[in-house]
Amino acid sequence: MAEPRCIDRTALLPRLERAADFAARQVRATIERHPDSFPIYTVGGRWAHGGELWTDWCGGFHAGLMWLLGRRTGDPWWRAAAEHYSRLLEPRQHDREVHDLGFIFLNTYLPWYRLTGDEHLRQVLITAGRTLASRFNPRGQYLRSFLAPESLFIDIMMNVPLIFRAAREAGDQRLFELAAAHCRTTERTLVRPDGSTAHEGLFNPDTGEFLGQSTQQGLRADSTWTRGLAWSLYGFTRVFSSTGGPADLAVARRNADCYLRRCPDSLVPPWDFDAPESPDRPEDSSAAAIAASGLCDLAATCRPLDPAGAERYQNAALTILDSLASDRYMAWSTPGWEGVLKHGVYHLHRGLGVDESVMWGEFFFLEAVGKVLGFADGASGSNGTPPDA
Ligand code: GLY
């Protein structure tokens, strides 16, 4: 079992500042080189390559980086860029083809709305939440993935907080209950007793009967695709901030304990925990970045009742950041590389973005750095509390 190291913050914080400065330079260069585009993964370190998307789900991460950098620097250039890129995403509030509207709107319109309280932004959040809720299958009690009516993905746990937000803004109890039902179905069908997760669940969409676990991006139906586990850890933590339900917090903690139990000492996992060990087994730095950000919030959530547990999660987040903000993962020592964080994986089986930079890895890395340095909401962030959904 990998136990989090006790990290010397005075040595780590300057490295995180350097990482955030580097991220600002890389994101700005990407905006200048590829204006108005929303890259997903690099090929040989380059964002523009015309490769397959599988699905279009990442716009909120590129724009979300701009919101984070605007908050860190107070520079109006970032604020203008963040607003511009967010507006480009606004039509997606009506997009019924994907399950990713949380990824898109929680990282763009939500920070914008929190800053301004603007009514139009609030309405966009409500509409996007209602659009996502239209994917709900009442018989199976789940939000279906973009792939097929019979398919439920673990990734949706990071999107369902958008429905909780819409429910709260609209005062719509039905929406709240639908989102809560999705969480219970996910817990029942995708989260295993040891805290590991399956990527996908398959249902009979007509009867709602659960047929079994499956995977698209992981090694096998019964394996643990590490990014999926990180989505669950962070997703259930965020959901708890809306529901206050002990079951949601318990799942997040089981996920976190599984992550820590199965990770190497760096706390940067292989792409799937069950992939056979070999020198060329890809790691997924993006799973580590998501886990770091989620662990910061989980630590803040647990602190009042379980200070020792909270300390363990916070040390784990710092251990991950200590590992990632290093020459091995930061592209600062790779001339010409356009991303921030190397050694991410998008879709191994399709050969997309393997051992590359991936936009969500960039976003959650900077978000976690921001939680520690105080420019993002979260455990050690400016308001000292976990963000609500
Ligand atoms: N489609 C979400 C992911 O690749 O994690």
Side-chain angles (χ1 to χ4, degrees), residues 57 155 217 225 227 231 346:
W57 61 289
D155 324 19
Q217 284 160 277
W225 175 53
R227 191 159 71 252
W231 290 141
Y346 177 18

Side-chain angles (χ1 to χ4, degrees), residues 54-55 57 99-100 103 146 153 155 199 217 225 227 231 346 360:
W54 196 39
T55 174
W57 61 289
H99 59 252
D100 302 299
F103 286 136
F146 84 98
F153 276 10
D155 324 19
H199 181 198
Q217 284 160 277
W225 175 53
R227 191 159 71 252
W231 290 141
Y346 177 18
W360 58 94

